[in-house]
Amino acid sequence: MTALVDGTGHPATTPPENAGSGRGRWRRGRLVAATAVLLALVMAAHRAVPNVTGNPGSLLETFLPWLGLSVPVLAVLAAVRRSATAAVAVLLPAVVWCSLFGGTLLDKRAPGRGDLTVVSHNVNDHNPDPLRTARQLAASRPELLALEELSDKTAPVYERALAGTYPYHFVRGTVGLWSTHPLRDAAPVDIMPWTRALRATLDTPKGPVAVYVAHLASVRVLPSTGFATRGRNEAALKLADAVRAEKLPRVVVVGDFNGTSDDRALRPVTSGLRSAQDAAGDGFGFSWPASFPLARIDQILVKGVAPVSAWTLPRTGSDHLPVAAALRL
């Protein structure tokens, strides 16, 4: 082996190849580490993000679960940088995400159909085949079926197609209820200038249940206004008032809320009710858009009723997936 010498002929003192590599692993990847810490803070303190102009708080909460996809990306970057600092920092958002949503990934469904199976579906007023959609929904055999976004053209199609299975039904405006059990006292709920909500009493073998079906106002994400939710939020407040005034102890509220149960703006409605999906579902139960579901904006909420299981049904001709729940009365 040839020894290295310096210009004076003495052996050169060169540092080992890996000298300082331990310190280097902690110094590298600071940007990745900072990003991971920021991500953890945003997820942990998401309710502190204000709903100022553009409603960033509500927008964040609508898609909050998807921030978890950043964790494996940051982990890969930490590995590429061979950064111990970044690797440790990535654990923070991973722990926060699991604390927020880890329980959601568990299958909380119990066996059996319960006493009442409910299906709710925004059928889309531009549905190219409402007859097929009606048959698909009837084939899932719920005792109570709630439909939103009916139109003057499509409502009669659903009424004819479902008449043989559901002897009781009411349609008011763009929403309707179909049931194998008697329905009575159906009346519109004033949440918008036109009828997009309905309340009825469902007479089950175990007693009456108040049923609400609602389609809250649509939201838009626009460069000029951000997450525009004013109409939806106002409709949610009116629906919450109606539900709070309900005299029956057992209540089922279903429909297209155009928002998730995590959205703070919908808390007036969701705070007094239980989400069947959260209590007895398997996974997130995303329902929109049907082609690649990103959020659960279709809800089945209950009070005085125990969810047994909750799930989504296969895609129909709508841009939403139907949502279902088995309830114990």
Side-chain angles (χ1 to χ4, degrees):
M1 179 181 294
T2 303
L4 296 176
V5 297
D6 59 18
T8 65
H10 295 91
T13 55
T14 58
E17 181 180 349
N18 293 322
S21 61
R23 292 192 299 272
R25 282 195 296 271
W26 289 101
R27 291 173 179 172
R28 290 192 294 265
R30 291 179 179 177
L31 179 59
V32 176
T35 303
V37 171
L38 178 61
L39 176 64
L41 288 173
V42 169
M43 288 194 291
H46 63 91
R47 295 203 182 280
V49 178
N51 257 349
V52 291
T53 303
N55 299 305
S58 286
L59 182 60
L60 170 64
E61 288 164 345
T62 298
F63 299 104
L64 189 61
W66 292 97
L67 291 186
L69 292 179
S70 302
V71 173
V73 173
L74 292 172
V76 169
L77 292 176
V80 170
R81 293 289 294 143
R82 291 184 295 174
S83 167
T85 300
V88 171
V90 169
L91 293 176
L92 293 175
V95 169
V96 172
W97 191 93
C98 288
S99 68
L100 290 172
F101 302 112
T104 304
L105 301 179
L106 301 176
D107 187 350
K108 299 177 288 295
R109 296 174 297 179
R113 286 175 56 90
D115 303 309
L116 179 70
T117 300
V118 180
V119 167
S120 177
H121 190 28
N122 179 327
V123 292
N124 189 348
D125 57 1
H126 297 300
N127 190 321
D129 195 347
L131 178 59
R132 184 179 177 211
T133 295
R135 289 171 175 168
Q136 284 181 259
L137 295 172
S140 65
R141 301 176 62 190
E143 287 86 17
L144 180 66
L145 175 62
L147 302 184
E148 305 88 48
E149 210 164 291
L150 299 170
S151 67
D152 292 339
K153 181 179 179 180
T154 61
V157 177
Y158 290 102
E159 289 176 315
R160 290 192 297 268
L162 297 170
T165 307
Y166 298 98
Y168 308 99
H169 89 278
F170 289 103
V171 173
R172 299 289 186 272
T174 63
V175 295
L177 290 169
W178 281 259
S179 175
T180 60
H181 302 307
L183 282 170
R184 57 181 171 87
D185 303 331
V189 179
D190 182 19
I191 65 170
M192 294 179 66
W194 56 97
T195 302
R196 286 180 40 145
L198 165 67
R199 186 265 181 211
T201 299
L202 176 69
D203 287 323
T204 76
K206 293 197 172 183
V209 178
V211 178
Y212 292 78
V213 54
H215 184 189
L216 304 188
S218 299
V219 300
R220 297 287 186 271
V221 181
L222 302 171
S224 58
T225 59
F227 194 40
T229 64
R230 180 177 177 180
R232 183 205 65 179
N233 297 350
E234 291 174 351
L237 287 172
K238 293 178 179 179
L239 178 61
D241 289 341
V243 174
R244 276 195 297 268
E246 178 57 54
K247 293 181 171 56
L248 290 178
R250 294 185 293 188
V251 181
V252 176
V253 182
V254 305
D256 176 4
F257 281 28
N258 277 306
T260 70
S261 59
D262 293 319
D263 189 335
R264 73 192 70 175
L266 298 181
R267 209 173 299 158
V269 179
T270 59
S271 61
L273 302 164
R274 294 178 70 195
S275 163
Q277 180 66 30
D278 291 346
D282 178 16
F284 290 98
F286 294 146
S287 62
W288 177 90
S291 56
F292 189 86
L294 296 171
R296 185 181 178 90
I297 64 174
D298 301 277
Q299 309 295 343
I300 298 178
L301 309 174
V302 301
K303 183 176 73 171
V305 172
V308 175
S309 58
W311 63 98
T312 58
L313 294 173
R315 186 178 181 181
T316 69
S318 172
D319 57 340
H320 293 242
L321 294 180
V323 296
L327 309 174
R328 183 175 296 116
L329 303 180

